[in-house]
Amino acid sequence: MAAYNGSSAPSSMSRSDVSVFPPVPLSAEAAPFTPDSWRLGSSSDVEKQFSRCAAKLRALRADSSQLREDLNLLLDQLLSENYNKTLEPNINIRPEDMCSLLKHVSCLVPLSQEHLVIKLCQLVHHLLNQLKVIMDERTLDVLLNYTTSALKVCSTWTHSDVLLALSTIVYGNGPQCHQHLRDLLGEDGVLLLYSSPSQPNVELRRVALTCMANICLRIPGQAPLDDQYRSVSFRVFLKTLHSPKPPNTDELFYCMVIQAALKGLQCCLSGGKWKFVGEELGSVLAALKRLMFQGTPGVSVEWPPVLYPAPLPQYEGLSAPKPAEPPQSSEPLKDAAGSGKTSVNKKRKSKGKGKKTSLQESRVDDEEEVDCETVPALQKGGGRGEGESLSKPSGPSLYPSWKRASSDSEFSDQEGSAQCKSRLYNARIRQGALHCLLAVVKGVEKRTLYGYWSSFIPDSPIGGPPPLTLISIILKDPSPKVRACALQVLSAMLDGSRQFLAMAEDTASPRKSYTPFSFLLATAIRELHRALSLALLAETSHQTLTQVIKCLAYLVANAPYHRLRPGLVSPLWKQMRPYVRHRDVNVRVSVLTLYGALVTTQAPLPEVQLLLRQPEASNSSTGSFTPQEPGFSWRQRDGVSTPPTPVKPFLRSSQTHSPHVLRTPEEVDSAPPWLLQLCVSLVTQPREDQSDSEGAGTAGGTALEPSPVRLEALQVMSYLVRGYFSLAQACLCEIGQVSARCLVETDPSIQLHGAKLLEELGTVIIQQYRAENKVSESLRVPMSQVVVFWSDVLSGPLNRALQSEQHPTLQTSACDALSSILPQAFAQLPDKTQLMCITVLLGLTYSENYLVKTAAVRALGVYILFPCLREDVMFVADTANTILAALDDRSPNVRAKAAWSLGNLTDALIVNMESVGVDFQEELSDMLLLKMLQAATRASADKDRVKSNAVRALGNLLHFLRQSQLTRSVFQRPLEDAVLALVKTVQSEATMKVRWNACYALGNAFRNPALPLDSATWSSDAFASLCHVVGSCKNFKVRIKSAAALAIPTNRGSYGDSKRFSCVWCSLAKALENSEDTNDFFEYRYSDSLRHTLSQALLHLLSVSQSQDMPSLGASLAGEGGRGIKEHLIKYLRTEEGGGEEPEGEKEAGGDSFTPQQRIGGLQQTLIRLKELEAEGEGREEEERSKEMVVHFLEDLLQTCEEP
């Protein structure tokens, strides 16, 4: 939005008002001469002038005879001042004074005085645009009424200034203008009239579009514009973008119209959720893709009006050549996005990197200067005709078109100025189109956008001209800002695309008959690697170079390298080496971000493991690329480039070896990874270049690296420890020293990352010692070293960090680090160290900061499972009381972690009950158990994330209670409430995790033989709830847990009378029959495990059944239903150990670990027991007949299973 340039000073100014410049002696030390009239007026002068004019305006009356002359003079004086707060922040004009002035003047200027109306509109735009004032509702309403009335009353020649003022008034105020929107954007609205492509006045059209864009603009926190008017504006903007340039229209004016339409489209797309109807999305993408290449030299293609989703690339067709001119083609773009031949002459071309033109050396990052000074070689009239370019294509080069510029001017001054403006305006259009595309990418669902990827992301073309994509812009556009925008769009497209890119695969040889989509996707990933690597070499703008590296990081984080042929990561890894020493801080940070992505993607990746094992010399000398920039390294002295200084060795194992001395394979394997050495150096070593003013601090007169670099280096160290600890574990103590050093620094961010690194170290050591990970003892960190490591850490700055009340976030991370101690190592720490850890954590649970309290409660939940602590009754009691207090905290985060810790504490009670026995149960206070039972019951009615662990604790407590406690009257009501809480949770609409935890908890309670399942009133409710969900719940994991719970009771009496037993049997049989009925694929994967658990439960019921149960069992096993049950039981009995195939990490507790022989043996024992049953009482004959039917069923089943 252009600001008003001001008008001439009033003619009444006398000569005496002109400043007289004081004499200044000529001297080399004298300050540059700056006349007072050139300076912005001092804030006091501007404010005084504004106040003086405002006072005179307030004194004017509408019936004054000199009103017109006075208004004209005062408006001129106000317009002559510069109120730009960006240039002069000391200007302090109160918003209420400005609003009062504008309201008053609008009452004085009649609409019949059109020249004064124009000046008032210019003043409104001038003040609002420069002072950035937020108007009150009254002022907004007054000015809106005035400008909309002016559009209706005044002549057309005034409408341009009126609309300019209106666009400033409505900026960000669209929702507040609802009373006037019908006049502006209604069916015959003035904005629709002036913004129409048929409008002959281009300036009116531009201002009308700008006004519509400002109406659609949404300030964060505001309600969005009404969908009706937003849709109207959207269609106008889209129609403008698709409309051709009117004949006899100046190119620059038309560019301004397109810029306004792009701005409006971006405001529409960013103003809230947007739903594209029909082909709108394809139409928008087609328009934006065409404008992405607006004014790009050498591009002349026929653009489609709509893009359609397709998995294959959509190539634009060449336009028909004119008879008198050489054919237009996009062939010059081939060296950017063409075939793989580009890399053939890479080495030869790079030799000429030092021969730069003066134009290239003077390249700056500012768009205007770049666009006005650079003359691309591809444009018409250049040093070589297009016909020659097509017939004699230049050899492959790493230089994009904007770097191969002619050094001689080929235009006159006037022509050069016009060309300069044209390039500048076209670059703004390209930038605006990319901003709109970024809004589309962020606003459209990822799955919808995947269909259009082929229009913006290339694969390797087999022949013909390369497609015009984002890569073409990244490699070829002359404006660094446009290239940066294209990189941002590409990064947004790659972000979160892991699930889509996971389909890519090229490890197998491609089929000759057709090309699979997985191979096309893999080819696109390779092409992105190749193109971004070229952009990395050619880019000289630091800001754009940062975007290139960030885009590579997004690509690396989402690409499935384990499904691609090796060789993509290694060149990139080596290519980034020189940029670690780049003089720009942001580039260095982005390089570390990329290395972080490389060591986290599918870790541990074999190719990355090999790269980490390579010594520094091979990394720095093999396959590294030299960036195309003089004075690249920021570590230089007196302008003389020195070789990269090797990272100072920080490990004892590497101090005796120079990076350039050959090592034995054993020494290479034991040496720390180069990347780890680099990160330690960046965190701890002082910078070599003391001239850089962005140091993080000084130590002994030497500045460390800037804080962002050190933080990212610490982050990479954490990633290395997490994914490649086997390579870094030899440096355990040294990494701990780095973390300890970070904890004593003054920068809270450095301290925080140091604590995070400690936590990561502790976590991976715990994972090494877990039995399920099956890490051999020789590959683990020795226990003695772990004990020494934690002894040093706990005696150092971690203790101070735990007590740092002024930094609660640091305290939180320190608690997390403290909870990552290996339990076996904790037991070997000195007693005073153990006591210190426990005391600090118990004290921090009373912190006023909820983050600290949450972390401390969680850490206690970890410690309660330590073998050396869980049998300590005093520690268990202290921890329990602390957790019970946290369960009543007002913070849901604290309550959630307290419930989790209570679940862990009750897990420890069950372990102690099984290992220690009754002695531990008797030592634990009955009243404490009662409080825990009541607290867990209350928590089961809390939010789902609290409830899921509360029901787990309830199941454990009901399992733990002894007969003597259950018979006490004080336990009767809490016991009933606890069971009913579990029943209610099982039947509720809570999340599935909560419901399957509740089912598991009921099964856990059934393990307690002291519970009166046969006589308690709540027992029937418990069995009924499980019988209901085992066959009706949509979630198969809930069914599995409920079926497993129904198979827990070990004696027949626990199932109650024969009616309840029959209900349980029928529910399980019906669930087995319907175990394949699901429409959800994600549930179907659990169907095998469900059938396995149901079959096991049915056989368990048969094993405990009595004679009174035979009629119901015989009726169920007879006929068609019995044949279906038999088929499932045969499959169960023959299934190998494991209970059906499930997703990794999803093994259910409902399965068993019995072999087929053990299951058949159990079935034989059941058959023998049933044969020995004798029926008693009434119905004896019926029971005998039913028993024979059941026995026959089992004999037939056993015979079938024993057959080979």
Side-chain angles (χ1 to χ4, degrees):
M1 194 184 302
Y4 178 74
N5 293 328
S7 58
S8 60
S11 57
S12 60
M13 181 179 291
S14 65
R15 188 177 182 87
S16 62
D17 293 333
V18 180
S19 301
V20 179
F21 304 134
V24 179
L26 295 177
S27 169
E29 288 77 18
F33 173 68
T34 308
D36 289 345
S37 61
W38 293 2
R39 299 177 186 152
L40 283 174
S42 66
S43 59
S44 58
D45 292 342
V46 173
E47 292 170 22
K48 288 178 181 178
Q49 176 75 343
F50 179 85
S51 300
R52 186 163 50 248
C53 293
K56 291 181 179 180
L57 284 168
R58 282 193 296 269
L60 292 178
R61 294 293 176 264
D63 55 356
S64 171
S65 60
Q66 297 293 322
L67 177 64
R68 179 176 179 180
E69 290 77 6
D70 293 340
L71 278 174
N72 190 60
L73 179 62
L74 291 172
L75 291 176
D76 282 342
Q77 289 178 355
L78 287 171
L79 285 169
S80 66
E81 296 295 337
N82 193 329
Y83 306 101
N84 196 326
K85 298 187 74 171
T86 304
L87 300 177
E88 185 54 58
N90 294 327
I91 296 177
N92 187 22
I93 297 176
R94 296 190 307 167
E96 53 267 30
D97 292 341
M98 191 212 70
C99 292
S100 176
L101 171 69
L102 292 178
K103 284 187 293 185
H104 184 69
V105 176
S106 65
C107 296
L108 292 176
V109 178
L111 295 177
S112 58
Q113 299 290 333
E114 295 185 344
H115 285 85
L116 290 180
V117 171
I118 289 179
K119 289 196 175 183
L120 173 58
C121 290
Q122 291 174 347
L123 180 64
V124 169
H125 173 69
H126 191 56
L127 291 176
L128 294 179
N129 199 37
Q130 293 195 350
L131 291 176
K132 314 295 186 207
V133 171
I134 299 177
M135 294 178 290
D136 56 77
E137 292 185 7
R138 174 61 183 160
T139 305
L140 177 64
D141 190 55
V142 169
L143 295 180
L144 279 173
N145 282 324
Y146 188 86
T147 49
T148 52
S149 299
L151 290 172
K152 296 176 183 178
V153 176
C154 296
S155 303
T156 307
W157 66 273
T158 65
H159 287 187
S160 177
D161 288 290
V162 176
L163 286 174
L164 186 62
L166 180 61
S167 69
T168 312
I169 294 168
V170 301
Y171 183 86
N173 293 316
Q176 284 76 38
C177 306
H178 53 87
Q179 295 180 350
H180 303 274
L181 289 179
R182 178 171 296 181
D183 294 334
L184 297 174
L185 296 173
E187 188 174 348
D188 297 321
V190 63
L191 292 182
L192 294 186
L193 175 65
Y194 286 148
S195 62
S196 172
S198 60
Q199 172 59 236
N201 190 325
V202 180
E203 176 61 17
L204 268 179
R205 186 180 172 192
R206 180 191 71 82
V207 182
L209 288 168
T210 301
C211 192
M212 293 173 66
N214 289 351
I215 290 175
C216 295
L217 177 69
R218 182 187 180 187
I219 305 297
Q222 277 189 350
L225 185 66
D226 186 83
D227 287 343
Q228 173 190 352
Y229 298 112
R230 198 150 61 112
S231 299
V232 170
S233 303
F234 172 82
R235 288 193 292 270
V236 171
F237 296 138
L238 185 56
K239 187 176 180 181
T240 302
L241 296 181
H242 277 290
S243 61
K245 183 173 76 71
N248 303 323
T249 302
D250 185 78
E251 180 72 26
L252 299 184
F253 277 109
Y254 179 68
C255 287
M256 295 169 69
V257 170
I258 298 300
Q259 288 177 40
L262 286 170
K263 175 187 174 185
L265 186 62
Q266 183 184 356
C267 292
C268 282
L269 297 173
S270 305
K273 292 184 178 179
W274 184 264
K275 292 184 179 179
F276 291 97
V277 180
E279 295 183 348
E280 280 184 350
L281 178 57
S283 180
V284 168
L285 292 176
L288 295 180
K289 183 171 182 180
R290 174 174 56 84
L291 294 173
M292 280 162 43
F293 295 93
Q294 173 82 10
T296 302
V299 175
S300 180
V301 296
E302 293 181 2
W303 300 97
V306 179
L307 293 181
Y308 295 98
L312 299 176
Q314 300 179 19
Y315 299 112
E316 291 75 21
L318 292 174
S319 62
K322 298 179 181 179
E325 295 182 3
Q328 302 286 329
S329 172
S330 58
E331 182 70 21
L333 292 173
K334 181 171 287 188
D335 54 4
S339 63
K341 296 179 181 178
T342 308
S343 59
V344 174
N345 295 329
K346 191 179 297 182
K347 209 165 197 178
R348 178 177 59 82
K349 277 291 179 183
S350 63
K351 293 180 180 179
K353 67 182 187 303
K355 300 179 181 179
K356 291 176 176 271
T357 63
S358 59
L359 171 68
Q360 189 178 318
E361 293 174 352
S362 64
R363 176 179 169 84
V364 292
D365 295 341
D366 186 78
E367 178 185 287
E368 281 79 0
E369 294 183 30
V370 170
D371 287 330
C372 292
E373 293 179 6
T374 308
V375 182
L378 293 181
Q379 80 180 18
K380 281 188 176 181
R384 184 173 62 181
E386 287 192 354
E388 184 180 352
S389 173
L390 291 173
S391 59
K392 299 179 181 179
S394 59
S397 172
L398 298 181
Y399 287 98
S401 61
W402 41 264
K403 300 194 73 173
R404 297 194 300 273
S406 170
S407 59
D408 299 326
S409 174
E410 307 192 16
F411 305 101
S412 65
D413 292 342
Q414 186 174 358
E415 290 173 334
S417 177
Q419 290 286 336
C420 168
K421 287 183 178 180
S422 177
R423 286 196 297 274
L424 172 60
Y425 279 56
N426 284 326
R428 288 177 178 172
I429 288 178
R430 297 196 299 274
Q431 189 174 352
L434 288 166
H435 280 148
C436 284
L437 183 57
L438 182 61
V440 172
V441 171
K442 291 182 176 180
V444 176
E445 190 179 0
K446 289 284 185 184
R447 282 185 293 181
T448 303
L449 202 62
Y450 290 149
Y452 298 93
W453 266 42
S454 57
S455 297
F456 298 94
I457 295 179
D459 58 3
S460 294
I462 299 175
L468 298 176
T469 61
L470 288 170
I471 293 300
S472 309
I473 299 174
I474 293 169
L475 290 174
K476 291 296 181 179
D477 200 283
S479 168
K481 290 186 178 180
V482 176
R483 299 196 299 274
C485 286
L487 287 161
Q488 289 175 351
V489 174
L490 182 56
S491 298
M493 293 177 71
L494 291 171
D495 186 20
S497 63
R498 183 177 304 170
Q499 188 175 3
F500 175 62
L501 295 180
M503 294 183 288
E505 184 174 14
D506 66 352
T507 52
S509 57
R511 299 174 182 268
K512 295 183 178 180
S513 57
Y514 71 97
T515 304
F517 177 69
S518 59
F519 187 80
L520 283 178
L521 207 53
T523 308
I525 293 174
R526 292 188 176 277
E527 179 65 13
L528 284 175
H529 270 275
R530 187 192 71 83
L532 290 175
S533 295
L534 289 178
L536 195 66
L537 295 176
E539 190 58 67
T540 57
S541 165
H542 295 171
Q543 291 83 357
T544 312
L545 180 62
T546 303
Q547 292 297 329
V548 174
I549 300 173
K550 287 182 178 179
C551 189
L552 278 166
Y554 280 111
L555 175 60
V556 168
N558 291 280
Y561 293 104
H562 60 291
R563 294 170 59 91
L564 303 175
R565 296 194 311 273
L568 280 178
V569 173
S570 300
L572 182 60
W573 180 283
K574 298 169 184 177
Q575 188 178 4
M576 297 309 302
R577 282 295 302 272
Y579 293 92
V580 173
R581 289 178 287 275
H582 198 281
R583 64 189 178 195
D584 186 85
V585 174
N586 294 323
V587 174
R588 302 206 298 275
V589 171
S590 61
V591 170
L592 290 172
T593 303
L594 177 54
Y595 274 125
L598 285 167
V599 296
T600 52
T601 181
Q602 295 111 45
L605 201 63
E607 191 173 355
V608 174
Q609 281 184 316
L610 291 175
L611 291 167
L612 287 171
R613 289 180 184 275
Q614 290 180 0
E616 183 181 358
S618 64
N619 271 340
S620 59
S621 62
T622 305
S624 60
F625 301 94
T626 305
Q628 306 291 327
E629 181 181 358
F632 175 82
S633 176
W634 61 281
R635 300 175 182 268
Q636 295 178 355
R637 306 276 186 191
D638 303 324
V640 179
S641 179
T642 58
T645 306
V647 177
K648 297 182 180 180
F650 73 105
L651 302 169
R652 288 184 292 272
S653 61
S654 61
Q655 287 176 348
T656 58
H657 297 282
S658 167
H660 303 289
V661 177
L662 294 177
R663 303 177 184 175
T664 64
E666 292 76 10
E667 291 172 338
V668 170
D669 288 340
S670 62
W674 162 81
L675 186 57
L676 183 60
Q677 295 186 60
L678 170 69
C679 292
V680 171
S681 175
L682 292 174
V683 173
T684 61
Q685 299 297 325
R687 285 186 296 116
E688 299 176 15
D689 185 2
Q690 301 299 324
S691 63
D692 194 339
S693 61
E694 300 190 40
T698 57
T702 57
L704 296 172
E705 287 282 353
S707 182
V709 176
R710 303 179 71 213
L711 291 175
E712 201 61 40
L714 285 168
Q715 192 73 53
V716 175
M717 288 179 67
S718 296
Y719 293 152
L720 272 171
V721 167
R722 183 189 308 168
Y724 299 89
F725 186 62
S726 60
L727 301 179
Q729 67 182 36
C731 324
L732 177 64
C733 291
E734 288 79 1
I735 298 175
Q737 292 170 8
V738 173
S739 179
R741 171 171 176 164
C742 293
L743 287 172
V744 299
E745 295 199 14
T746 56
D747 187 347
S749 299
I750 298 292
Q751 292 177 311
L752 186 62
H753 277 71
K756 294 283 188 185
L757 180 58
L758 265 184
E759 180 190 358
E760 206 68 61
L761 280 169
T763 302
V764 295
I765 293 173
I766 291 174
Q767 290 174 351
Q768 272 195 343
Y769 275 82
R770 281 182 179 161
E772 60 265 25
N773 290 333
K774 298 179 181 178
V775 179
S776 64
E777 188 172 351
S778 61
L779 298 178
R780 297 175 183 170
V781 179
M783 181 62 67
S784 59
Q785 189 177 354
V786 179
V787 173
V788 170
F789 169 76
W790 281 113
S791 298
D792 294 342
V793 168
L794 294 173
S795 62
L798 183 62
N799 194 7
R800 290 194 294 273
L802 287 165
Q803 303 176 41
S804 179
E805 295 183 2
Q806 66 273 24
H807 298 304
T809 310
L810 177 61
Q811 280 185 298
T812 302
S813 293
C815 285
D816 293 338
L818 205 60
S819 67
S820 64
I821 301 177
L822 182 68
Q824 299 92 314
F826 185 88
Q828 297 185 28
L829 292 174
D831 290 344
K832 63 176 183 178
T833 304
Q834 295 184 22
L835 185 61
M836 182 272 293
C837 295
I838 296 170
T839 305
V840 168
L841 289 177
L842 288 171
L844 289 177
T845 58
Y846 296 96
S847 171
E848 295 181 358
N849 187 282
Y850 81 95
L851 291 173
V852 178
K853 185 182 292 188
T854 301
V857 170
R858 176 191 170 275
L860 286 174
V862 173
Y863 276 31
I864 198 65
L865 295 176
F866 284 8
C868 63
L869 295 178
R870 69 174 178 231
E871 298 177 6
D872 186 340
V873 177
M874 294 302 297
F875 175 71
V876 172
D878 289 341
T879 302
N881 286 315
T882 301
I883 292 172
L884 292 178
L887 275 173
D888 293 328
D889 196 89
R890 61 183 179 182
S891 169
N893 293 328
V894 175
R895 297 199 304 273
K897 286 303 179 186
W900 179 82
S901 296
L902 182 62
N904 284 7
L905 188 149
T906 55
D907 286 343
L909 295 182
I910 299 300
V911 173
N912 289 340
M913 181 183 69
E914 296 171 351
S915 60
V916 180
V918 181
D919 293 342
F920 181 85
Q921 290 178 283
E922 292 177 347
E923 288 184 31
L924 201 61
S925 166
D926 287 357
M927 296 311 298
L928 180 60
L929 284 173
L930 181 61
K931 289 180 181 179
M932 292 166 63
L933 188 66
Q934 293 171 331
T937 303
R938 290 193 302 270
S940 66
D942 206 330
K943 297 177 183 286
D944 279 358
R945 54 181 174 158
V946 180
K947 189 184 300 183
S948 62
N949 285 295
V951 296
R952 176 167 70 101
L954 278 178
N956 285 329
L957 289 170
L958 293 174
H959 183 190
F960 184 78
L961 292 174
R962 291 175 290 128
Q963 179 71 37
S964 59
Q965 295 164 333
L966 293 173
T967 55
R968 293 181 58 183
S969 59
V970 70
F971 275 89
Q972 294 300 314
R973 184 58 185 272
L975 173 63
E976 183 178 354
D977 291 342
V979 176
L980 292 180
L982 292 178
V983 170
K984 183 179 178 181
T985 307
V986 168
Q987 297 175 338
S988 69
E989 297 298 325
T991 58
M992 295 306 169
K993 180 180 179 181
V994 174
R995 296 181 69 184
W996 77 58
N997 273 4
C999 292
Y1000 180 82
L1002 279 176
N1004 203 1
F1006 290 170
R1007 296 178 189 275
N1008 190 345
L1011 281 180
L1013 294 178
D1014 54 343
S1015 59
T1017 56
W1018 44 260
S1019 177
S1020 59
D1021 294 332
F1023 278 103
S1025 63
L1026 293 173
C1027 290
H1028 174 71
V1029 298
V1030 76
S1032 63
C1033 186
K1034 295 180 180 179
N1035 186 279
F1036 276 19
K1037 293 177 74 174
V1038 175
R1039 293 197 199 183
I1040 292 169
K1041 294 290 188 181
S1042 58
L1046 289 171
I1048 292 296
T1050 56
N1051 59 77
R1052 172 62 185 82
S1054 299
Y1055 287 98
D1057 57 16
S1058 58
K1059 183 178 179 181
R1060 185 194 298 174
F1061 185 88
S1062 174
C1063 179
V1064 173
W1065 172 271
C1066 293
S1067 298
L1068 292 171
K1070 187 69 173 178
L1072 186 60
E1073 180 184 347
N1074 300 328
S1075 59
E1076 295 183 1
D1077 295 347
T1078 181
N1079 296 324
D1080 190 348
F1081 171 76
F1082 293 101
E1083 297 302 328
Y1084 186 77
R1085 59 183 175 164
Y1086 295 109
S1087 59
D1088 284 344
S1089 179
L1090 174 60
R1091 286 190 289 272
H1092 180 94
T1093 309
L1094 289 169
S1095 301
Q1096 179 195 357
L1098 288 173
L1099 288 178
H1100 173 74
L1101 289 181
L1102 285 171
S1103 68
V1104 300
S1105 60
Q1106 296 296 330
S1107 59
Q1108 67 268 26
D1109 305 318
M1110 291 300 114
S1112 59
L1113 293 179
S1116 174
L1117 295 176
E1120 190 67 31
R1123 284 192 290 272
I1125 293 175
K1126 180 181 176 182
E1127 291 178 4
H1128 289 297
L1129 292 180
I1130 291 173
K1131 187 181 297 185
Y1132 164 74
L1133 292 169
R1134 288 177 171 177
T1135 301
E1136 292 296 329
E1137 181 180 348
E1141 295 190 9
E1142 297 177 16
E1144 187 177 351
E1146 296 283 357
K1147 278 293 175 189
E1148 299 299 332
D1152 59 41
S1153 57
F1154 298 134
T1155 63
Q1157 293 76 15
Q1158 291 173 324
R1159 294 175 194 150
I1160 293 175
L1163 179 60
Q1164 291 172 340
Q1165 294 178 1
T1166 299
L1167 182 59
I1168 294 173
R1169 191 187 68 82
L1170 289 179
K1171 288 180 178 180
E1172 296 174 353
L1173 283 179
E1174 293 184 3
E1176 299 177 356
E1178 297 180 4
R1180 181 174 179 179
E1181 295 180 0
E1182 182 183 358
E1183 291 179 4
E1184 285 292 342
R1185 287 196 302 271
S1186 299
K1187 187 186 79 169
E1188 291 178 2
M1189 190 180 301
V1190 174
V1191 169
H1192 177 71
F1193 175 87
L1194 293 180
E1195 288 176 341
D1196 189 31
L1197 176 65
L1198 192 60
Q1199 182 180 359
T1200 305
C1201 291
E1202 290 177 345
E1203 291 177 356

